[in-house]
Amino acid sequence: MTTVGLLRPEGHPEDDYRRIETLLDSDIRVDSVVYAGPGADPGQLAAGAERLRLASTDAVVWASASATFAQGREAAGEQARSLALAAGIPASSTAIGFTHAVRAVGASRVVVAGAYPEEVAGAVVRFLEAAGVEVVGERRAYGGLSLPELVRAADDPRAEAVLVPDTAVPTVAQVPEAEAAVGKPVLTGTLVTVWEGLRLAERHGAWADELGALFVRRSPRDVWEPGE
């Protein structure tokens, strides 16, 4: 059994995580500790990580894209290390997960789409670029677009993947349709958060056709190893 533990802001829907858990192997679980969002002080996060460790989780991920991108890359790394030390298990965040997931699908140029305000969208772009990911476009869209509509509107022919970082809205059910609409990987906040937890837990090879390019079946030589 591999269990991914999430530090999830209050009000963020759990449905996507349950769907991912259902579609992946039967011995993968996704557990959550909910905290009062949208921000969280370090002590609150550390206490939540400790609760997840006591529940026998294998890794913990701070599942809030806006909060983790807004920290900046250096601070996000320090926060992840602090959580890992406090809980005694590997730790990361949604923002850090995106830098790994982009590489895992073979992309280096991306577009970013979502309904974030300008300052948050700018933080996402800066975080990715600091990690060596080229952002060739950024679109803020409102008005309740479906995921396929959003990624189609945001897509750029130069981009090798479309990123939809928001963890506060459900996206998983529409990922296959969205990828078909643009013909390239679509990485969403909830998908990347769980994938990052599995990466930390060294659970390689978890796949499901219904979860898009990030969870396609790969041969052993195609699996990215931590530290590469």
Side-chain angles (χ1 to χ4, degrees), residues 53-142:
R53 183 189 68 80
L54 293 174
S56 299
T57 56
D58 298 287
V60 59
V61 184
W62 184 8
S64 173
S66 59
T68 58
F69 276 111
Q71 290 186 309
R73 188 162 180 249
E74 183 175 342
E78 287 296 329
Q79 179 67 66
R81 285 188 285 273
S82 295
L83 287 175
L85 287 171
I89 54 177
S92 188
S93 67
T94 299
I96 295 172
F98 266 99
T99 66
H100 296 149
V102 167
R103 183 177 177 182
V105 299
S108 59
R109 296 184 304 277
V110 305
V111 293
V112 177
Y116 287 134
E118 184 176 355
E119 62 272 17
V120 177
V124 172
V125 173
R126 290 190 295 272
F127 193 106
L128 293 169
E129 290 181 338
V133 178
E134 182 182 357
V135 180
V136 298
E138 181 266 312
R139 180 180 176 89
R140 295 186 300 282
Y142 302 90

Side-chain angles (χ1 to χ4, degrees), residues 41 49 53 59 63 83 111 117 124 145-146 181 183 213-214 222:
D41 64 63
R53 183 189 68 80
L83 287 175
V111 293
V124 172
L145 293 179
S146 68
L214 190 58
D222 294 330

Side-chain angles (χ1 to χ4, degrees), residues 20-29 203 205-207:
I20 296 169
E21 181 184 67
T22 298
L23 292 172
L24 290 174
D25 295 337
S26 59
D27 64 341
I28 291 175
R29 291 176 51 217
R203 177 60 185 268
W207 66 277

Side-chain angles (χ1 to χ4, degrees), residues 1-5 29 31 49-59 89:
M1 175 70 70
T2 301
T3 303
V4 174
R29 291 176 51 217
D31 286 347
E50 172 65 7
R51 285 177 58 190
L52 289 167
R53 183 189 68 80
L54 293 174
S56 299
T57 56
D58 298 287
I89 54 177

